[in-house]
């Protein structure tokens, strides 16, 4: 018989089944499997920590999103936001589901080309497009979403030198009733900047205005803000039709739909308050349909949804390194998962569940990462059953932004594994090795030798 572990008894508030003033009751069920693959097996085979992506969830998310929009609007196109997760396997799942690419840098642009996306299906956003990037995008007939006037003039000059027509859209920022307003990208609607650049584009003979774009924010909890934004873009498009007798072929509503994560300080969990993709689809499509577009001339609707498609397809498996009491008596648990690979722990209270069965006792716990840094806190308060060294935990909803914003710091970055539809596992990114770092470092000759 195994040695029984001693668990310190404690007095705690009784949690009833009904929602109380702290929200719904926290459920303590272990997360033993991800898509029918045992978490312990994954950790044994691929190591810990380990990012795991569910192809099944990813495909079902994009299909649901398409359905939500296509059942309400005649012409819909999704474009995958590369910066949300540009792992090639993830991008290719979305491209297989019909998504174009949405990129915000030359590096992302090259990654999309390398994935086999044709130039005309890459939407190029962002404030940082070098002359070389622009030249490449114009040559490949990509659509450039102009961010500022300096870019407008650069495109005009480069396209002129190449003697090649270029398809452009502008990014528009606007007051949608959600503050702070994201007015640093693109041209403002209310103060006339948008019209100013539109007039210049329409008067240029080398640029064709094909679309209007906005991306009003990220982790947006208000579908109505999208209705306002869609209404304003429709107004611009109709104004262009009236003034120049020119029709834009698409309206691009960007991304930003909230996922099911819980923002720090939120009163209720994200699963309870985040609007569904249907709520966003309803707001956007009804604003477009009830605008003054002629019935049979509705523009193509483009969506650049990122986090809402990939967040809940991603898991991070971690292991308990140790438990200790803080000086004030609080329980703390140290995991092998640091904030360097879980960037989103700075703004979310991630759901974290043990991967093995446990006893009924729970205690408020601080979850630390392994970094030798005071800010390395994964959760500052979480009610968890008692975990022991070597136990595994699963961190949920980590598919968006972590595998792009993670950094190599103190530790090396872990593997990413994809579980395919059949339940087979594939390494889609190797763990980082010391050699990967040495490959890019250089030691000057005079620093090569030393004696101690
Ligand atoms: C980041 C970004 C997106 C995706 O945003 P999510 O919040 O991940 O949905 C879409 N479009 C643009 C221009 C972006 O910068």
């Amino acid at each position: 018989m195994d040695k029984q572990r001693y668990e310190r008894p404690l007095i705690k508030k009784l949690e009833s089944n009904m929602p109380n003033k702290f929200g719904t009751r926290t459920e303590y069920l272990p997360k033993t499997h991800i898509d029918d693959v045992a978490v312990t097996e994954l950790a044994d085979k691929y190591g810990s920590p380990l990012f795991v992506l569910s192809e099944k969830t990813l495909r079902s998310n994009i299909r649901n999103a398409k359905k939500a929009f296509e059942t309400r609007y005649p012409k819909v196109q999704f474009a995958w936001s590369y910066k949300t997760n540009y792992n090639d396997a993830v991008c290719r799942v979305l491209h297989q589901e019909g998504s174009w690419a949405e990129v915000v840098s030359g590096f992302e642009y090259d990654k999309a080309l390398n994935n086999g996306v044709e130039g005309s299906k890459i939407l190029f956003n962002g404030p940082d497009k070098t002359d070389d990037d622009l030249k490449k995008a114009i040559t490949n007939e990509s659509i450039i979403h102009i961010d500022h006037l300096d870019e407008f003039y650069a495109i005009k000059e480069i396209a002129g030198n190449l003697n090649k027509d270029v398809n452009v859209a502008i990014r528009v920022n606007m007051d949608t009733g959600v503050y702070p307003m994201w007015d640093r990208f693109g041209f403002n609607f209310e103060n006339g900047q948008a019209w100013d650049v539109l007039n210049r584009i329409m008067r240029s003979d080398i640029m064709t205005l094909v679309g209007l774009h906005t991306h009003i924010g990220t982790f947006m909890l208000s579908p109505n803000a999208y209705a306002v934004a869609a209404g304003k873009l429709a107004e611009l498009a109709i104004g262009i039709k009236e003034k120049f007798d020119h029709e834009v072929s698409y309206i691009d509503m960007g991304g930003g739909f909230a996922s099911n994560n819980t923002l720090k300080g939120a009163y209720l969990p994200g699963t309870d308050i985040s609007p569904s993709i249907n709520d966003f689809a309803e707001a956007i499509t009804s604003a477009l349909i009830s605008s003054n577009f002629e019935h049979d001339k509705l523009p193509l609707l483009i969506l650049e949804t990122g986090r809402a498609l990939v967040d809940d397809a991603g898991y991070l498996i971690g292991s308990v390194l140790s438990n200790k009491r803080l000086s004030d008596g609080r329980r703390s648990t140290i995991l092998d998962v640091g904030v360097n690979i879980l960037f989103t722990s700075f703004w979310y209270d991630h759901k974290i569940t043990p991967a093995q069965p446990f006893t009924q006792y729970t205690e408020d716990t601080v979850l630390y990462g392994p970094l030798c840094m005071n800010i390395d806190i994964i959760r500052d308060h979480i009610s968890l059953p008692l975990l022991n060294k070597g136990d595994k935990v699963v961190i949920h909803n980590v598919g968006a932004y972590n595998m792009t914003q993670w950094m190599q710091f103190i530790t090396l970055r872990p593997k990413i594994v994809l579980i395919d539809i059949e339940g087979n596992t594939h390494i889609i990114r190797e763990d980082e090795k010391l050699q990967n770092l040495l490959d890019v470092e250089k030691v000057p000759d005079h620093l090569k030798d030393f004696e101690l």
Side-chain angles (χ1 to χ4, degrees):
M1 188 181 133
D2 283 348
K3 182 174 169 240
Q4 297 290 302
R5 284 182 187 273
Y6 172 75
E7 291 188 354
R8 189 181 79 141
L10 68 141
I11 296 171
K12 66 192 273 279
K13 172 178 98 240
L14 191 65
E15 287 188 90
S16 63
N17 270 316
M18 295 299 288
N20 56 39
K21 68 175 179 170
F22 304 107
T24 47
R25 195 171 78 108
T26 322
E27 285 289 342
Y28 295 113
L29 291 173
K31 176 79 178 165
T32 56
H33 290 73
I34 300 173
D35 286 4
D36 297 333
V37 183
V39 169
T40 45
E41 248 169 61
L42 288 165
D44 286 347
K45 188 160 175 199
Y46 300 107
S48 170
L50 177 71
F51 276 101
V52 179
L53 279 156
S54 159
E55 183 178 339
K56 192 159 112 191
T57 306
L58 191 55
R59 285 193 193 270
S60 119
N61 287 350
I62 177 71
R63 286 176 194 176
N64 280 338
K66 281 168 78 168
K67 194 160 105 191
F69 281 89
E70 286 171 355
T71 49
R72 293 176 165 91
Y73 194 84
K75 288 180 284 181
V76 178
Q77 177 63 52
F78 277 80
W80 177 239
S81 155
Y82 263 49
K83 76 171 186 295
T84 309
N85 189 324
Y86 43 59
N87 180 279
D88 282 349
V90 170
C91 295
R92 282 164 191 252
V93 168
L94 290 151
H95 296 321
Q96 281 186 351
E97 295 290 335
S99 294
W100 295 356
E102 183 276 322
V103 303
V104 292
S105 69
F107 153 70
E108 289 188 2
Y109 186 93
D110 289 343
K111 217 159 189 291
L113 275 187
N114 191 54
N115 274 331
V117 182
E118 54 193 283
S120 61
K121 295 187 173 158
I122 304 177
L123 306 176
F124 201 167
N125 278 308
D128 173 23
K129 308 178 186 88
T130 64
D131 286 356
D132 282 345
D133 296 337
L134 291 173
K135 202 181 283 179
K136 200 179 326 181
I138 294 167
T139 311
N140 289 320
E141 298 178 358
S142 299
I143 304 175
I144 303 173
H145 288 182
I146 307 177
D147 186 79
H148 46 71
L149 271 184
D150 287 309
E151 188 173 295
F152 165 82
Y153 286 112
I155 295 169
K156 204 168 152 183
E157 188 183 324
I158 294 166
N161 293 341
L162 293 169
N163 196 18
K164 197 156 167 50
D165 289 344
V166 49
N167 287 333
V168 298
I170 60 161
R171 176 159 179 173
V172 183
N173 69 63
M174 60 187 77
D175 185 352
T176 59
V178 174
Y179 309 101
M181 214 170 111
W182 275 27
D183 57 0
R184 56 167 288 188
F185 301 109
F187 302 89
N188 187 255
F189 176 84
E190 285 83 15
N191 73 6
Q193 277 173 358
W195 262 114
D196 177 49
V197 69
L198 287 172
N199 287 328
R200 290 170 204 246
I201 293 169
M202 294 309 298
R203 276 191 228 109
S204 135
D205 40 18
I206 205 147
M207 289 187 198
T208 309
L209 181 76
V210 292
L212 296 171
H213 169 257
T214 191
H215 173 61
I216 58 175
T218 194
F219 209 89
M220 303 294 285
L221 291 164
S222 160
N224 186 56
Y226 286 89
V228 173
K232 289 185 174 177
L233 289 191
E235 191 184 318
L236 277 183
I238 290 156
I240 294 161
K241 168 82 174 125
E242 279 167 8
K243 181 165 176 185
F244 297 101
D245 194 27
H246 174 80
E247 277 165 26
V248 298
S249 30
Y250 67 83
I251 279 191
D252 181 341
M253 293 302 299
F257 305 155
S259 67
N260 279 339
N261 258 309
T262 303
L263 287 173
K264 274 190 191 296
Y267 189 59
L268 291 170
T271 40
D272 292 3
I273 56 165
S274 289
S276 71
I277 200 95
N278 280 298
D279 297 329
F280 290 111
E282 183 64 27
I284 291 171
T285 57
S286 38
L288 290 180
I289 289 167
S290 54
S291 68
N292 289 333
F293 284 117
E294 281 172 52
H295 170 65
D296 54 348
K297 292 206 171 139
L298 285 169
L300 172 72
L301 170 58
I302 298 183
L303 285 313
E304 302 171 346
T305 311
R307 73 171 75 240
L309 296 183
V310 73
D311 221 7
D312 67 348
Y315 301 85
L316 180 51
I317 298 173
S319 307
V320 173
L321 300 179
S322 172
N323 288 300
K324 61 164 91 162
R325 290 272 157 210
L326 299 176
S327 60
D328 61 5
R330 273 182 305 154
R331 181 183 176 88
S332 79
T333 295
I334 309 171
L335 299 177
D336 60 358
V337 171
V339 290
N340 61 321
I341 60 166
L342 192 65
F343 231 76
T344 52
S345 56
F346 287 123
W347 56 86
Y348 293 144
D349 281 339
H350 276 291
K351 177 178 164 189
I352 302 176
T353 39
Q356 54 285 307
F358 39 79
T359 58
Q360 60 179 313
Y361 296 112
T362 60
E363 191 178 339
D364 192 36
T365 306
V366 193
L367 281 183
Y368 291 116
L371 306 178
C372 210
M373 288 254 302
N374 203 37
I375 60 157
D376 191 22
I377 302 169
I378 298 301
R379 283 288 303 263
D380 37 20
H381 280 289
I382 181 168
S383 183
L384 276 181
L386 309 184
L387 297 168
N388 296 300
K389 180 177 172 181
D391 281 355
K392 301 286 177 274
V393 297
V394 176
I395 308 178
H396 301 249
N397 291 352
V398 302
Y401 294 102
N402 287 304
M403 285 160 256
T404 46
Q405 291 193 59
W406 57 356
M407 56 182 165
Q408 188 279 310
F409 178 60
I410 300 183
T411 56
L412 295 165
R413 285 172 285 190
K415 287 189 178 68
I416 309 177
V417 163
L418 178 85
I419 304 178
D420 71 19
I421 304 287
E422 266 91 47
N424 304 312
T425 54
H426 308 264
I427 295 173
I428 56 171
R429 193 181 196 273
E430 280 293 352
D431 51 323
E432 219 162 20
K433 313 282 191 307
L434 173 62
Q435 193 57 45
N436 299 135
L437 278 109
L438 299 183
D439 282 346
V440 288
E441 286 194 22
K442 287 191 194 306
V443 178
D445 280 344
H446 72 286
L447 299 178
K448 289 213 161 120
D449 301 312
F450 54 81
E451 273 176 55
L452 295 177

